Amino acid sequence: MVSGYPHWQTIPLRWKDNDVYGHVNNVVHYSLMDTVINTWLIEQGGLDIEAGAAIGLCVESHCAYHSSVSFPGSLRVGLRVAHLGKSSVRYEIGMYAADESLVAEGHFVHVFVDRESRRPTPVSGKLREALEALQPR
């Protein structure tokens, strides 16, 4: 498997992910990035998306497409943290087909804010530890 990502998640493609051209539509790639990131934050970082004091807002995202895939199948999605600031984090994501060919790669930036005031809040505790674990060593 391709190295450089501390965390991997396999995500099955669905029939509805294909567009009229017979390949996975570009918006699906963004959804997969969001899914892998938030799964990590909830399961490893203890992020409470329904009632927690802090929430992560996406302030930037980008995806570069390298090859086409389609249903049926799945993607192996690699996740790492490229930068961890006081209240923000920049993730890098790689999406790979079963043959390990690169399908797409991108980045996603969260700024963590107070749920009520929407002002930046420090990333701390279990959440910071989970994000630090995604930094390349």
Side-chain angles (χ1 to χ4, degrees):
M1 177 52 62
V2 178
S3 63
Y5 296 97
H7 174 69
W8 289 93
Q9 185 173 339
T10 300
I11 300 180
L13 298 172
R14 303 158 306 170
W15 172 254
K16 73 177 194 170
D17 294 336
N18 284 358
D19 61 19
V20 298
Y21 302 113
H23 66 267
V24 171
N25 189 271
N26 60 316
V27 300
V28 173
H29 297 82
Y30 282 97
S31 178
L32 295 177
M33 287 193 285
D34 206 16
T35 296
V36 169
I37 291 166
N38 282 293
T39 298
W40 179 266
L41 295 176
I42 293 164
E43 291 179 356
Q44 303 300 316
L47 184 66
D48 181 348
I49 59 173
E50 295 177 4
I55 59 173
L57 300 180
C58 177
V59 297
E60 179 182 330
S61 62
H62 170 79
C63 190
Y65 307 95
H66 297 280
S67 64
S68 179
V69 293
S70 60
F71 173 88
S74 61
L75 289 177
R76 290 279 293 155
V77 183
L79 177 64
R80 66 180 166 227
V81 167
H83 174 76
L84 179 56
K86 181 179 175 184
S87 61
S88 66
V89 59
R90 183 180 194 271
Y91 311 92
E92 292 178 341
I93 301 100
M95 298 176 213
Y96 295 84
D99 66 1
E100 296 188 11
S101 62
L102 179 62
V103 172
E105 58 188 340
H107 70 261
F108 192 101
V109 178
H110 264 151
V111 172
F112 286 89
V113 300
D114 178 83
R115 181 182 295 275
E116 299 302 320
S117 71
R118 295 296 204 253
R119 301 297 307 154
T121 188
V123 177
S124 60
K126 185 177 180 182
L127 182 58
R128 179 165 282 278
E129 290 173 15
L131 292 169
E132 288 172 345
L134 290 175
Q135 293 178 305
R137 309 235 176 252

